[in-house]
Amino acid sequence: MQQLIDILHHEKCSCVIKNKSGIRLCHQRGVKDLLELLKNDPEVLTEASIADKVVGKGAAALMILGGVRHVYAYVMSQPALELLTASGVKTEYTTLAPNIINRAGTGVCPVESRCAPCKTASECLPLIEDFINQIQK
């Protein structure tokens, strides 16, 4: 995992994924990369280890649905930690936050907020897809 954390820091990417085929760097903001991988290239996530800057409940849900086995985050939300742990995903973090804050710093991240009432990763998926679809319009 330390190799992934080092790459995350030095390459200034948003997320680093290591699976049996190699290492992939992600650069989009939020959960876009994870959602695109889950929908279009899901084997990248299967049994993968991930180092990410920020992991909220939405990102955690996508990782779980993709079959990720180990997650490190600079910042992880308590709801993300609970969802990952309940799904048997090994977790590590530098900072555990009550919630992920939006980019403006004015409140809770919109994906974190939408996923708050969800009990499972599967419940989060349509909410995340709807949010991404709305912001891309």
Side-chain angles (χ1 to χ4, degrees):
M1 185 56 76
Q2 188 58 51
Q3 175 193 21
L4 302 183
I5 295 167
D6 292 343
I7 293 170
L8 182 66
H9 177 72
H10 293 297
E11 296 294 327
K12 300 196 184 329
C13 52
S14 59
C15 178
V16 181
I17 303 168
K18 181 179 181 183
N19 63 19
K20 61 184 177 241
S21 301
I23 293 177
R24 180 175 291 196
L25 307 182
C26 299
H27 296 279
Q28 295 186 76
R29 297 172 80 171
V31 297
K32 284 183 183 179
D33 282 315
L34 290 171
L35 182 59
E36 287 175 9
L37 287 171
L38 183 64
K39 292 173 85 174
N40 303 319
D41 204 3
E43 64 278 357
V44 170
L45 298 173
T46 304
E47 295 294 313
S49 295
I50 295 183
D52 202 324
K53 287 183 178 177
V54 178
V55 175
K57 191 170 183 179
L62 297 173
M63 292 174 186
I64 291 163
L65 293 171
V68 170
R69 64 178 170 80
H70 189 178
V71 176
Y72 165 82
Y74 286 139
V75 178
M76 183 176 290
S77 72
Q78 184 67 42
L81 176 62
E82 291 169 6
L83 193 62
L84 290 163
T85 301
S87 297
V89 178
K90 182 178 179 185
T91 58
E92 298 177 62
Y93 52 83
T94 298
T95 302
L96 184 63
N99 289 292
I100 301 305
I101 302 302
N102 65 24
R103 289 187 184 107
T106 59
V108 176
C109 160
V111 173
E112 182 101 340
S113 181
R114 284 175 184 235
C115 293
C118 299
K119 303 284 188 237
T120 67
S122 296
E123 290 177 72
C124 295
L125 183 59
L127 303 176
I128 296 166
E129 290 174 323
D130 181 58
F131 175 76
I132 296 298
N133 289 335
Q134 284 183 9
I135 64 170
Q136 289 179 339
K137 289 182 180 178

